[in-house]
Amino acid sequence: ERASAGAPHADNVSAALFGGLTCVAGPVFSWHIPEYVAFALAVPRLELTTKAMRRVVPKIWPRAVHTRETARAVATAFMLVRGELARLDEVIGNSVVERRRSRLIPGYDAVIAAARHTGAPAVTISGSGPTMVAIVDSRRTDPGPVAEAMARAFQHDAKAIVACGGSGARLEETR
């Protein structure tokens, strides 16, 4: 984790090791995500460091904002674990943090539009960005074309990647 993100925190590596939805709260907790939940990612050739992305986010939040954003995170986790994606966009996108970070990602609005146009019920910034992720029900929508459309929509060259729920990371497709 220190090598990939610059800090010895297991939030990224735990998901790759355990699969599903992971939460590092001292110990690592991992919950299964249904196999049909797929993640279509567009990874632009654009360097935006976590440090730079953190600078646009206030260090202190009003209690009401903190409460709302925490509730959104819990609802997101619940919907992913249950595989209930139809209303996921109501809680996953347009957070206070996303609104601030999106300004630093050229093509953000076009990527969101491309994901929605190709059938993704939810799309957001992955981690601190600039990677974008759409979450789809692969029984209804092929995640490959979603990822490709998102990659084409970026204003920078981008890779399209598809990952599915399950146990641990595996690379399905890259371009």
Side-chain angles (χ1 to χ4, degrees):
E1 188 70 24
R2 186 186 310 274
S4 68
H9 190 271
D11 59 346
N12 291 316
V13 75
S14 64
L17 291 173
F18 299 109
L21 177 66
T22 59
C23 175
V24 180
V28 176
F29 296 94
S30 179
W31 297 275
H32 174 76
I33 293 176
E35 291 289 335
Y36 60 83
V37 176
F39 301 87
L41 296 105
V43 184
R45 293 189 195 278
L46 171 67
E47 187 174 331
L48 291 172
T49 65
T50 299
K51 186 177 183 178
M53 296 303 262
R54 285 182 179 155
R55 273 197 300 264
V56 300
V57 178
K59 292 181 180 181
I60 299 173
W61 298 93
R63 184 182 322 226
V65 172
H66 177 75
T67 301
R68 182 183 67 241
E69 296 301 306
T70 300
R72 289 166 62 115
V74 170
T76 298
F78 180 80
M79 289 177 181
L80 286 173
V81 170
R82 301 256 328 218
E84 297 176 6
L85 307 182
R87 296 181 59 202
L88 186 59
D89 198 49
E90 295 175 33
V91 295
I92 203 168
N94 201 29
S95 70
V96 172
V97 173
E98 178 139 351
R99 286 194 302 269
R100 291 172 179 269
R101 288 180 173 168
S102 66
R103 299 177 205 154
L104 301 179
I105 302 174
Y108 169 87
D109 291 328
V111 174
I112 295 281
R116 289 188 176 140
H117 180 74
T118 52
V123 60
T124 189
I125 298 171
S126 179
S128 64
T131 297
M132 300 286 295
V133 59
I135 302 163
V136 302
D137 180 333
S138 64
R139 300 171 301 181
R140 294 181 178 89
T141 304
D142 182 349
V146 176
E148 290 291 335
M150 291 167 60
R152 283 191 304 274
F154 260 118
Q155 294 176 5
H156 294 269
D157 184 31
K159 287 183 184 179
I161 300 173
V162 173
C164 296
S167 57
R170 70 180 190 267
L171 190 58
E172 295 262 330
E173 179 181 332
T174 66
R175 115 177 134 95

